[in-house]
Amino acid sequence: MPEQHAATGIDETHDAGLRSWVASANQAGCDFPVQNLPHGVFRRGGRQEGWRGGVAIGDQVLDLAAALDAGAFSGPPATACGIDAHAASALALAAAAPLNGFMAAGQASWRAVRLALSRALRAGSPLEAALAPHLVPQAAVEMGLPATIGDYTDFYASVHHATTVGALFRPDAPLLPNYKWVPIGYHGRVSSIAVSGQRFPRPRGQLKGPADAAPRQAPSARLDYELEMGIFMGPGNASGDAIALDDARSRAFGMVLLNDWSARDIQAWEYQPLGPFLAKSFATTISPWVVTMEALAPYRVEWSRAAGDPQPLPYLDEGDARATAALDIALEACLETARMRERNQPPARLSVSSFKHAYWTVAQMIAHHSSNGCPLQPGDLFGTGTQSGPAHEEAGSLLELSLGGKQPIELPDGETRTFLEDGDAVVLRAHCERAGFARIGFGDCRGEVLPAR
């Protein structure tokens, strides 16, 4: 359906009626049905093998490198699945680790791989016999970072989060005058980014309370999570060139969950005048499977500005694309305490929200980031900033949920929290669903706090 794809991004790969010959992909509530097909980098646990590119399908990983080496994507069965020279070349990029080369290849290659894999993994595919030996249980693999991340920028794209947190830090001016005009961001620390399962010691830093005569260095007592989405960049731009908004829509490769762990007491002392530094540079956790923008096409919704808010400047105006510029991604943050783990209790839900509430779109963030001529590169990572909704229970951080530590949160087992304690693990989850389309998910993004060193 090329004409349909050009208009909406929706094609045969999104058909809700599709089933896979991988049985687990057809189970209700599965994050990775055949309509998803996210990309990641993995290796088998306990083996001396290199990292390779794979695709999640059900509870399995399709080892693209092994399948290609075995010639599984060649011959008459592959031709019957529509795998031509372009698709085969793009599959080779998707099989390599890291995925920077595939991310750089652009939208035509991403779509070719998605269509090829969709046809190859559907029930009745002539490639089932060739590909089945190259499935690996997700429980048996180690996941790596999807790309070599050259740069990491964290935005501040939730007006609800910005307003609530601003009121805690600056009661007299919760939302600074520039917020509704410009996508705010700061440069993050790439070396501290890791995939789900990250465990890190509680950070130390300079702390100074309102009544303290001088700061002291100590472990953070107000450690927090931030419920965010991450965006992996596709083709970049030359230094000095700006990416126009219309072009920016096709430059994002895909999205992950992102936890921008934050030490609020360190942040409160250091953030003026230049913003976050050591309060956020100690750890950032992402989910390992990158859900492509093509997979997210059915879940696009209208983006708009509230009445009375300024309209974006021309270079940030979504124009006719406003009807599909936002993404309805349901978000969830859960807490697993050490006591819950000991008792085999499930994590407790802290909050739910949706990425549809973001004040700035993915394309606007890319266009603004490059608007001064900043060169972006394939594999660069953008954080969206904490995604909070308009209601209190939709807050994406403990800072908001506990009202700055003044209102403890009671957990189902009777424990309470204002901020994170040693041994706490935060689990972020996300999924998309819409009538007439399949439910797809992102997998877990889990990180655990260890005692300070």
Side-chain angles (χ1 to χ4, degrees):
M1 304 178 187
E3 64 281 354
Q4 187 179 5
H5 203 160
T8 65
I10 298 173
D11 64 10
E12 67 178 72
T13 66
H14 301 99
D15 185 347
L18 295 178
R19 293 294 180 268
S20 175
W21 51 265
V22 181
S24 59
N26 304 320
Q27 295 176 357
C30 172
D31 275 351
F32 307 125
V34 73
Q35 293 86 354
N36 193 346
L37 304 178
H39 291 270
V41 164
F42 79 100
R43 61 187 177 192
R44 291 164 177 79
R47 292 198 190 180
Q48 297 297 317
E49 69 175 12
W51 295 102
R52 68 254 333 274
V55 169
I57 178 73
D59 61 4
Q60 304 290 306
V61 181
L62 176 60
D63 185 337
L64 293 179
L68 283 168
D69 287 346
F73 289 111
S74 59
T79 302
C81 287
I83 300 177
D84 57 14
H86 177 218
S89 176
L91 278 165
L93 293 173
L99 297 176
N100 297 68
F102 185 45
M103 293 176 177
Q107 199 171 62
S109 293
W110 306 337
R111 287 176 173 172
V113 166
R114 176 175 170 80
L115 182 60
L117 290 173
S118 174
R119 291 174 174 175
L121 291 166
R122 293 176 197 176
S125 166
L127 286 176
E128 177 180 353
L131 293 179
H134 306 297
L135 292 178
V136 186
Q138 288 185 32
V141 306
E142 176 187 355
M143 299 300 297
L145 286 173
T148 298
I149 303 170
D151 278 298
Y152 162 47
T153 299
D154 198 29
F155 283 91
Y156 200 37
S158 169
V159 69
H160 304 295
H161 173 72
T163 302
T164 302
V165 171
L168 294 171
F169 281 80
R170 300 178 304 276
D172 55 333
L175 204 63
L176 294 175
N178 64 347
Y179 184 86
K180 294 184 176 181
W181 289 100
V182 57
I184 303 297
Y186 74 93
H187 195 74
R189 182 71 182 174
V190 172
S191 62
S192 63
I193 301 173
V195 295
S196 182
Q198 182 177 26
R199 304 172 79 229
F200 60 92
R202 179 177 296 272
R204 293 177 175 271
Q206 280 199 25
L207 314 177
K208 183 181 183 300
D212 295 338
R216 68 190 190 285
Q217 190 193 37
S220 170
R222 293 165 67 90
L223 187 60
D224 201 357
Y225 72 92
E226 291 196 340
L227 173 57
E228 303 193 22
M229 298 299 299
I231 304 155
F232 272 101
M233 186 69 189
N237 58 301
S239 180
D241 291 344
I243 300 174
L245 190 66
D246 286 346
D247 192 16
R249 297 187 187 101
S250 65
R251 300 292 185 108
F253 173 71
M255 301 184 74
V256 294
L257 280 160
L258 186 150
N259 188 340
D260 182 35
W261 304 91
S262 298
R264 300 302 188 182
D265 39 8
I266 299 174
Q267 183 180 359
W269 173 236
E270 75 175 8
Y271 88 106
Q272 298 186 67
L274 294 181
F277 181 30
L278 299 187
K280 292 174 178 281
S281 63
F282 55 91
T284 299
T285 311
I286 64 171
S287 53
W289 293 107
V290 187
V291 177
T292 65
M293 302 309 290
E294 284 70 38
L296 294 170
Y299 315 103
R300 291 192 168 278
V301 293
E302 183 180 7
W303 173 86
S304 62
R305 277 280 187 264
D309 279 7
Q311 295 304 309
L313 295 180
Y315 80 102
L316 291 175
D317 193 346
E318 289 280 5
D320 293 341
R322 288 188 179 206
T324 56
L327 285 163
D328 189 3
I329 303 174
L331 305 171
E332 177 184 31
C334 300
L335 178 64
E336 176 191 86
T337 68
R339 191 164 85 177
M340 290 175 184
R341 253 189 325 276
E342 291 168 0
R343 298 179 176 182
N344 293 316
Q345 295 173 329
R349 176 186 285 178
L350 295 175
S351 65
V352 294
S353 184
S354 173
F355 186 55
K356 70 181 180 182
H357 298 306
Y359 199 76
W360 299 101
T361 69
V362 171
Q364 285 171 330
M365 287 183 249
I366 293 172
H368 180 68
H369 202 315
S370 68
S371 63
N372 68 339
C374 172
L376 304 179
Q377 299 176 328
D380 281 356
L381 178 65
F382 300 164
T384 62
T386 306
Q387 292 302 300
S388 300
H392 177 71
E393 60 270 18
E394 297 176 285
S397 68
L398 286 172
L399 181 68
E400 298 165 86
L401 290 171
S402 70
L403 301 179
K406 298 176 183 176
Q407 182 175 298
I409 299 160
E410 185 166 346
L411 302 174
D413 66 349
E415 295 181 88
T416 61
R417 289 292 185 275
T418 51
F419 292 97
L420 298 172
E421 296 185 5
D422 294 345
D424 285 350
V426 175
V427 182
L428 307 184
R429 298 183 176 122
H431 72 274
C432 302
E433 54 187 333
R434 174 186 165 193
F437 293 94
R439 177 198 182 278
I440 67 172
F442 286 73
D444 287 0
C445 176
R446 186 182 191 279
E448 183 180 337
V449 182
L450 304 176
R453 290 177 183 163

